Amino acid sequence: MSRSFTKQEKENIKKSLTKACKQSWTQYGYKKTGIDELCKQAGISKGAFYLFFESKEALFCEVLCSVQAEICDAACQVMEQRQNKYGAAEALKLIYRAYEENRFLYDSDSADYLVLRNKLSQKQAQKMEASSQMGRRLFLDRPYLLWKVDADLAVSVIYALLMNVKNKEILPYSHRETFDFMVDHLIDSLLE
């Protein structure tokens, strides 16, 4: 007979599983992140895992969406405190640093990520797509940000800037300082 968990234990275990998943996914990727190891880190049996998540993919979907939501919330706070192009620039810098810490946020064109995408249920895929759309709309849904360029161009420039995180190892200069320089100089071309 399986052991039942208190409400507090359930919350703690779920947090532990998501934290362990986030760390392992960042370090090893989807395929090399095993449920057995995550359960070991959370102090539960593999059978108990399914009390918290219906599948490995459900856990990964939860982690991706929650990390994206945390980043969007933090970026929104920065922009609300400074409702101008400089607040937007600071928010971009915050997002870049979050991407740097969470490789799975920008590694969506890898074979490893494709394996995950192919295993997602339709509901999970829709949840992840909705989460991605939230990130895309982050800067566009701020009435105090007045764009000098077409919205699609603005989103494309922001995306291109953020994806420079993929090249961080090959840059001859600090990738963070390079990113900050690009943002500080492009923001005037993008926003009033």
Side-chain angles (χ1 to χ4, degrees):
M1 186 168 174
S2 65
R3 175 185 182 276
S4 61
F5 299 103
T6 67
K7 184 178 178 181
Q8 186 62 50
E9 285 175 321
K10 285 180 182 178
E11 288 176 23
N12 291 340
I13 291 168
K14 193 167 184 176
K15 283 180 188 176
S16 183
L17 284 169
T18 56
K19 180 181 177 185
C21 179
K22 180 180 165 186
Q23 290 171 339
S24 185
W25 192 4
T26 295
Q27 187 171 3
Y28 304 113
Y30 166 75
K31 290 190 300 187
K32 292 183 181 177
T33 297
I35 298 298
D36 291 333
E37 184 57 34
L38 298 177
C39 290
K40 187 187 226 182
Q41 289 181 39
I44 61 169
S45 68
K46 187 174 181 177
F49 172 84
Y50 297 98
L51 296 172
F52 300 94
F53 296 97
E54 65 186 43
S55 64
K56 177 180 175 179
E57 294 73 32
L59 171 59
F60 278 71
C61 180
E62 174 78 21
V63 167
L64 180 68
C65 293
S66 66
V67 168
Q68 286 177 326
E70 288 171 14
I71 293 167
C72 282
D73 289 346
C76 283
Q77 286 178 6
V78 168
M79 288 190 290
E80 289 302 318
Q81 290 172 0
R82 210 167 164 195
Q83 296 185 359
N84 56 32
K85 63 184 170 185
Y86 305 110
E90 289 307 311
L92 278 170
K93 293 172 187 178
L94 177 145
I95 293 167
Y96 181 83
R97 283 153 177 80
Y99 271 51
E100 178 188 4
E101 293 173 15
N102 300 287
R103 181 183 177 122
F104 58 86
L105 291 173
Y106 64 84
D107 211 13
S108 60
D109 57 351
S110 71
D112 188 68
Y113 192 83
L114 183 61
V115 171
L116 168 61
R117 290 287 298 175
N118 288 337
K119 290 187 175 189
L120 293 174
S121 69
Q122 184 177 4
K123 183 179 175 182
Q124 291 163 344
Q126 289 171 340
K127 183 178 178 181
M128 285 175 60
E129 180 57 30
S131 182
S132 292
Q133 290 299 326
M134 177 182 60
R136 289 184 194 118
R137 303 285 325 156
L138 179 65
F139 294 93
L140 300 178
D141 290 345
R142 304 282 166 253
Y144 49 81
L145 293 180
L146 303 175
W147 295 95
K148 291 181 177 180
V149 298
D150 177 78
D152 287 336
L153 176 59
V155 169
S156 296
V157 169
I158 289 169
Y159 181 77
L161 282 171
L162 291 171
M163 287 304 104
N164 275 309
V165 73
K166 290 182 176 188
N167 298 318
K168 66 183 181 182
E169 303 299 329
I170 62 170
L171 296 176
Y173 196 77
S174 163
H175 68 96
R176 283 189 201 124
E177 288 182 48
T178 301
F179 180 82
D180 292 355
F181 180 87
M182 289 189 304
V183 168
D184 290 341
H185 287 82
L186 276 172
I187 205 71
D188 289 327
S189 297
L190 296 174
L191 287 163
E192 297 289 338

mmCIF file of all heavy atoms in Angstrom, residues 13-44:
data_model
loop_
_atom_site.group_PDB
_atom_site.id
_atom_site.type_symbol
_atom_site.label_atom_id
_atom_site.label_comp_id
_atom_site.label_asym_id
_atom_site.label_seq_id
_atom_site.Cartn_x
_atom_site.Cartn_y
_atom_site.Cartn_z
ATOM 1 N N ILE A 13 7.475 18.199 -2.167
ATOM 2 C CA ILE A 13 7.953 17.196 -3.120
ATOM 3 C C ILE A 13 7.835 17.723 -4.546
ATOM 4 O O ILE A 13 8.756 17.574 -5.356
ATOM 5 C CB ILE A 13 7.191 15.857 -2.943
ATOM 6 C CG1 ILE A 13 7.590 15.211 -1.607
ATOM 7 C CG2 ILE A 13 7.462 14.919 -4.115
ATOM 8 C CD1 ILE A 13 6.701 14.055 -1.189
ATOM 9 N N LYS A 14 6.716 18.351 -4.843
ATOM 10 C CA LYS A 14 6.532 18.894 -6.197
ATOM 11 C C LYS A 14 7.589 19.960 -6.489
ATOM 12 O O LYS A 14 8.180 19.984 -7.567
ATOM 13 C CB LYS A 14 5.125 19.464 -6.357
ATOM 14 C CG LYS A 14 4.778 19.757 -7.794
ATOM 15 C CD LYS A 14 3.302 20.024 -7.981
ATOM 16 C CE LYS A 14 3.027 20.218 -9.457
ATOM 17 N NZ LYS A 14 1.628 20.399 -9.749
ATOM 18 N N LYS A 15 7.861 20.832 -5.511
ATOM 19 C CA LYS A 15 8.918 21.840 -5.678
ATOM 20 C C LYS A 15 10.266 21.175 -5.887
ATOM 21 O O LYS A 15 11.068 21.609 -6.713
ATOM 22 C CB LYS A 15 8.984 22.764 -4.461
ATOM 23 C CG LYS A 15 7.901 23.799 -4.413
ATOM 24 C CD LYS A 15 8.052 24.666 -3.164
ATOM 25 C CE LYS A 15 6.874 25.590 -2.985
ATOM 26 N NZ LYS A 15 6.951 26.361 -1.730
ATOM 27 N N SER A 16 10.523 20.129 -5.115
ATOM 28 C CA SER A 16 11.797 19.422 -5.222
ATOM 29 C C SER A 16 11.949 18.761 -6.590
ATOM 30 O O SER A 16 13.020 18.812 -7.201
ATOM 31 C CB SER A 16 11.891 18.384 -4.102
ATOM 32 O OG SER A 16 13.119 17.737 -4.133
ATOM 33 N N LEU A 17 10.878 18.154 -7.069
ATOM 34 C CA LEU A 17 10.918 17.524 -8.396
ATOM 35 C C LEU A 17 11.155 18.558 -9.497
ATOM 36 O O LEU A 17 11.969 18.322 -10.397
ATOM 37 C CB LEU A 17 9.618 16.761 -8.675
ATOM 38 C CG LEU A 17 9.443 15.429 -7.970
ATOM 39 C CD1 LEU A 17 8.001 14.926 -8.139
ATOM 40 C CD2 LEU A 17 10.432 14.396 -8.497
ATOM 41 N N THR A 18 10.463 19.677 -9.428
ATOM 42 C CA THR A 18 10.630 20.689 -10.473
ATOM 43 C C THR A 18 12.021 21.322 -10.414
ATOM 44 O O THR A 18 12.637 21.578 -11.446
ATOM 45 C CB THR A 18 9.528 21.772 -10.412
ATOM 46 O OG1 THR A 18 9.503 22.353 -9.127
ATOM 47 C CG2 THR A 18 8.166 21.184 -10.742
ATOM 48 N N LYS A 19 12.518 21.534 -9.210
ATOM 49 C CA LYS A 19 13.874 22.097 -9.064
ATOM 50 C C LYS A 19 14.918 21.126 -9.620
ATOM 51 O O LYS A 19 15.816 21.527 -10.373
ATOM 52 C CB LYS A 19 14.159 22.407 -7.600
ATOM 53 C CG LYS A 19 15.528 22.994 -7.362
ATOM 54 C CD LYS A 19 15.779 23.261 -5.893
ATOM 55 C CE LYS A 19 17.191 23.774 -5.681
ATOM 56 N NZ LYS A 19 17.512 23.926 -4.270
ATOM 57 N N ALA A 20 14.791 19.849 -9.260
ATOM 58 C CA ALA A 20 15.737 18.843 -9.748
ATOM 59 C C ALA A 20 15.647 18.709 -11.272
ATOM 60 O O ALA A 20 16.667 18.581 -11.955
ATOM 61 C CB ALA A 20 15.466 17.502 -9.068
ATOM 62 N N CYS A 21 14.440 18.762 -11.803
ATOM 63 C CA CYS A 21 14.248 18.663 -13.256
ATOM 64 C C CYS A 21 14.908 19.849 -13.952
ATOM 65 O O CYS A 21 15.615 19.678 -14.946
ATOM 66 C CB CYS A 21 12.762 18.596 -13.581
ATOM 67 S SG CYS A 21 12.415 18.508 -15.349
ATOM 68 N N LYS A 22 14.672 21.033 -13.438
ATOM 69 C CA LYS A 22 15.249 22.246 -14.036
ATOM 70 C C LYS A 22 16.773 22.154 -14.077
ATOM 71 O O LYS A 22 17.405 22.430 -15.101
ATOM 72 C CB LYS A 22 14.800 23.463 -13.230
ATOM 73 C CG LYS A 22 15.311 24.777 -13.722
ATOM 74 C CD LYS A 22 14.802 25.906 -12.828
ATOM 75 C CE LYS A 22 15.549 27.169 -13.060
ATOM 76 N NZ LYS A 22 15.187 28.241 -12.139
ATOM 77 N N GLN A 23 17.367 21.729 -12.975
ATOM 78 C CA GLN A 23 18.831 21.626 -12.908
ATOM 79 C C GLN A 23 19.354 20.567 -13.862
ATOM 80 O O GLN A 23 20.318 20.798 -14.598
ATOM 81 C CB GLN A 23 19.267 21.305 -11.476
ATOM 82 C CG GLN A 23 19.066 22.441 -10.514
ATOM 83 C CD GLN A 23 19.300 22.033 -9.059
ATOM 84 O OE1 GLN A 23 19.246 20.870 -8.700
ATOM 85 N NE2 GLN A 23 19.538 23.032 -8.216
ATOM 86 N N SER A 24 18.715 19.405 -13.863
ATOM 87 C CA SER A 24 19.177 18.317 -14.714
ATOM 88 C C SER A 24 18.958 18.624 -16.192
ATOM 89 O O SER A 24 19.812 18.335 -17.032
ATOM 90 C CB SER A 24 18.456 17.021 -14.332
ATOM 91 O OG SER A 24 18.973 15.942 -15.057
ATOM 92 N N TRP A 25 17.824 19.214 -16.515
ATOM 93 C CA TRP A 25 17.524 19.562 -17.901
ATOM 94 C C TRP A 25 18.537 20.564 -18.421
ATOM 95 O O TRP A 25 19.034 20.455 -19.543
ATOM 96 C CB TRP A 25 16.113 20.126 -17.981
ATOM 97 C CG TRP A 25 15.537 20.272 -19.364
ATOM 98 C CD1 TRP A 25 16.106 19.886 -20.547
ATOM 99 C CD2 TRP A 25 14.271 20.827 -19.691
ATOM 100 N NE1 TRP A 25 15.259 20.191 -21.591
ATOM 101 C CE2 TRP A 25 14.124 20.769 -21.095
ATOM 102 C CE3 TRP A 25 13.245 21.391 -18.945
ATOM 103 C CZ2 TRP A 25 12.994 21.236 -21.752
ATOM 104 C CZ3 TRP A 25 12.120 21.850 -19.596
ATOM 105 C CH2 TRP A 25 12.000 21.772 -20.990
ATOM 106 N N THR A 26 18.888 21.545 -17.597
ATOM 107 C CA THR A 26 19.879 22.539 -17.989
ATOM 108 C C THR A 26 21.242 21.888 -18.210
ATOM 109 O O THR A 26 21.942 22.199 -19.169
ATOM 110 C CB THR A 26 19.983 23.644 -16.920
ATOM 111 O OG1 THR A 26 18.736 24.339 -16.870
ATOM 112 C CG2 THR A 26 21.090 24.637 -17.242
ATOM 113 N N GLN A 27 21.591 20.970 -17.330
ATOM 114 C CA GLN A 27 22.923 20.368 -17.389
ATOM 115 C C GLN A 27 23.026 19.230 -18.401
ATOM 116 O O GLN A 27 24.005 19.135 -19.135
ATOM 117 C CB GLN A 27 23.316 19.858 -16.005
ATOM 118 C CG GLN A 27 24.736 19.375 -15.922
ATOM 119 C CD GLN A 27 25.155 19.087 -14.490
ATOM 120 O OE1 GLN A 27 24.375 19.198 -13.549
ATOM 121 N NE2 GLN A 27 26.397 18.716 -14.317
ATOM 122 N N TYR A 28 22.010 18.353 -18.451
ATOM 123 C CA TYR A 28 22.125 17.133 -19.247
ATOM 124 C C TYR A 28 21.173 17.035 -20.435
ATOM 125 O O TYR A 28 21.370 16.209 -21.309
ATOM 126 C CB TYR A 28 21.887 15.901 -18.361
ATOM 127 C CG TYR A 28 22.807 15.829 -17.179
ATOM 128 C CD1 TYR A 28 22.302 15.963 -15.889
ATOM 129 C CD2 TYR A 28 24.176 15.642 -17.342
ATOM 130 C CE1 TYR A 28 23.145 15.902 -14.784
ATOM 131 C CE2 TYR A 28 25.018 15.580 -16.247
ATOM 132 C CZ TYR A 28 24.502 15.707 -14.970
ATOM 133 O OH TYR A 28 25.333 15.649 -13.904
ATOM 134 N N GLY A 29 20.134 17.831 -20.452
ATOM 135 C CA GLY A 29 19.141 17.734 -21.514
ATOM 136 C C GLY A 29 17.983 16.837 -21.117
ATOM 137 O O GLY A 29 17.989 16.192 -20.061
ATOM 138 N N TYR A 30 17.002 16.804 -21.974
ATOM 139 C CA TYR A 30 15.767 16.047 -21.713
ATOM 140 C C TYR A 30 16.016 14.544 -21.643
ATOM 141 O O TYR A 30 15.624 13.880 -20.689
ATOM 142 C CB TYR A 30 14.730 16.361 -22.801
ATOM 143 C CG TYR A 30 13.577 15.402 -22.826
ATOM 144 C CD1 TYR A 30 12.576 15.469 -21.868
ATOM 145 C CD2 TYR A 30 13.491 14.404 -23.795
ATOM 146 C CE1 TYR A 30 11.512 14.572 -21.874
ATOM 147 C CE2 TYR A 30 12.445 13.515 -23.819
ATOM 148 C CZ TYR A 30 11.456 13.598 -22.860
ATOM 149 O OH TYR A 30 10.421 12.711 -22.863
ATOM 150 N N LYS A 31 16.664 13.997 -22.679
ATOM 151 C CA LYS A 31 16.827 12.541 -22.747
ATOM 152 C C LYS A 31 17.642 11.981 -21.587
ATOM 153 O O LYS A 31 17.355 10.889 -21.102
ATOM 154 C CB LYS A 31 17.481 12.132 -24.074
ATOM 155 C CG LYS A 31 16.566 12.314 -25.265
ATOM 156 C CD LYS A 31 17.091 11.693 -26.543
ATOM 157 C CE LYS A 31 18.409 12.252 -26.974
ATOM 158 N NZ LYS A 31 18.861 11.790 -28.286
ATOM 159 N N LYS A 32 18.633 12.705 -21.136
ATOM 160 C CA LYS A 32 19.512 12.206 -20.069
ATOM 161 C C LYS A 32 18.997 12.533 -18.668
ATOM 162 O O LYS A 32 19.633 12.188 -17.680
ATOM 163 C CB LYS A 32 20.929 12.755 -20.249
ATOM 164 C CG LYS A 32 21.616 12.183 -21.475
ATOM 165 C CD LYS A 32 23.029 12.684 -21.594
ATOM 166 C CE LYS A 32 23.694 12.117 -22.831
ATOM 167 N NZ LYS A 32 25.054 12.637 -23.006
ATOM 168 N N THR A 33 17.868 13.201 -18.588
ATOM 169 C CA THR A 33 17.247 13.464 -17.296
ATOM 170 C C THR A 33 16.259 12.337 -17.031
ATOM 171 O O THR A 33 15.259 12.210 -17.733
ATOM 172 C CB THR A 33 16.518 14.828 -17.292
ATOM 173 O OG1 THR A 33 17.483 15.856 -17.501
ATOM 174 C CG2 THR A 33 15.807 15.064 -15.976
ATOM 175 N N GLY A 34 16.585 11.517 -16.022
ATOM 176 C CA GLY A 34 15.759 10.354 -15.732
ATOM 177 C C GLY A 34 14.854 10.551 -14.524
ATOM 178 O O GLY A 34 15.235 11.209 -13.554
ATOM 179 N N ILE A 35 13.685 9.968 -14.611
ATOM 180 C CA ILE A 35 12.721 10.029 -13.509
ATOM 181 C C ILE A 35 13.307 9.413 -12.246
ATOM 182 O O ILE A 35 13.114 9.931 -11.144
ATOM 183 C CB ILE A 35 11.405 9.315 -13.898
ATOM 184 C CG1 ILE A 35 10.744 10.006 -15.089
ATOM 185 C CG2 ILE A 35 10.446 9.234 -12.720
ATOM 186 C CD1 ILE A 35 10.333 11.427 -14.834
ATOM 187 N N ASP A 36 14.046 8.311 -12.386
ATOM 188 C CA ASP A 36 14.640 7.652 -11.211
ATOM 189 C C ASP A 36 15.505 8.611 -10.406
ATOM 190 O O ASP A 36 15.378 8.701 -9.183
ATOM 191 C CB ASP A 36 15.480 6.433 -11.632
ATOM 192 C CG ASP A 36 14.629 5.291 -12.170
ATOM 193 O OD1 ASP A 36 13.451 5.197 -11.776
ATOM 194 O OD2 ASP A 36 15.144 4.516 -12.998
ATOM 195 N N GLU A 37 16.376 9.338 -11.096
ATOM 196 C CA GLU A 37 17.278 10.268 -10.411
ATOM 197 C C GLU A 37 16.502 11.434 -9.802
ATOM 198 O O GLU A 37 16.810 11.875 -8.689
ATOM 199 C CB GLU A 37 18.351 10.793 -11.375
ATOM 200 C CG GLU A 37 19.382 11.680 -10.726
ATOM 201 C CD GLU A 37 20.137 11.037 -9.565
ATOM 202 O OE1 GLU A 37 20.394 9.821 -9.594
ATOM 203 O OE2 GLU A 37 20.458 11.781 -8.608
ATOM 204 N N LEU A 38 15.515 11.947 -10.517
ATOM 205 C CA LEU A 38 14.707 13.044 -9.981
ATOM 206 C C LEU A 38 13.968 12.604 -8.719
ATOM 207 O O LEU A 38 13.901 13.356 -7.738
ATOM 208 C CB LEU A 38 13.707 13.548 -11.029
ATOM 209 C CG LEU A 38 14.300 14.125 -12.310
ATOM 210 C CD1 LEU A 38 13.185 14.513 -13.288
ATOM 211 C CD2 LEU A 38 15.201 15.307 -12.027
ATOM 212 N N CYS A 39 13.428 11.396 -8.745
ATOM 213 C CA CYS A 39 12.715 10.862 -7.576
ATOM 214 C C CYS A 39 13.672 10.666 -6.401
ATOM 215 O O CYS A 39 13.317 10.963 -5.251
ATOM 216 C CB CYS A 39 12.034 9.545 -7.923
ATOM 217 S SG CYS A 39 10.627 9.741 -9.033
ATOM 218 N N LYS A 40 14.860 10.207 -6.702
ATOM 219 C CA LYS A 40 15.873 10.027 -5.657
ATOM 220 C C LYS A 40 16.181 11.363 -4.989
ATOM 221 O O LYS A 40 16.243 11.461 -3.764
ATOM 222 C CB LYS A 40 17.146 9.444 -6.292
ATOM 223 C CG LYS A 40 18.218 9.044 -5.322
ATOM 224 C CD LYS A 40 19.459 8.670 -6.130
ATOM 225 C CE LYS A 40 20.085 7.418 -5.670
ATOM 226 N NZ LYS A 40 21.311 7.103 -6.428
ATOM 227 N N GLN A 41 16.344 12.409 -5.796
ATOM 228 C CA GLN A 41 16.632 13.742 -5.256
ATOM 229 C C GLN A 41 15.459 14.288 -4.437
ATOM 230 O O GLN A 41 15.661 15.028 -3.483
ATOM 231 C CB GLN A 41 16.982 14.711 -6.385
ATOM 232 C CG GLN A 41 18.328 14.425 -7.012
ATOM 233 C CD GLN A 41 18.654 15.412 -8.116
ATOM 234 O OE1 GLN A 41 18.372 16.587 -7.998
ATOM 235 N NE2 GLN A 41 19.265 14.916 -9.190
ATOM 236 N N ALA A 42 14.246 13.913 -4.819
ATOM 237 C CA ALA A 42 13.054 14.385 -4.102
ATOM 238 C C ALA A 42 12.705 13.496 -2.913
ATOM 239 O O ALA A 42 11.832 13.843 -2.116
ATOM 240 C CB ALA A 42 11.871 14.469 -5.066
ATOM 241 N N GLY A 43 13.383 12.350 -2.814
ATOM 242 C CA GLY A 43 13.143 11.445 -1.691
ATOM 243 C C GLY A 43 11.853 10.657 -1.801
ATOM 244 O O GLY A 43 11.232 10.318 -0.792
ATOM 245 N N ILE A 44 11.465 10.322 -3.047
ATOM 246 C CA ILE A 44 10.251 9.534 -3.249
ATOM 247 C C ILE A 44 10.546 8.362 -4.170
ATOM 248 O O ILE A 44 11.578 8.328 -4.847
ATOM 249 C CB ILE A 44 9.105 10.375 -3.852
ATOM 250 C CG1 ILE A 44 9.491 10.940 -5.227
ATOM 251 C CG2 ILE A 44 8.671 11.480 -2.890
ATOM 252 C CD1 ILE A 44 8.344 11.566 -6.015
#
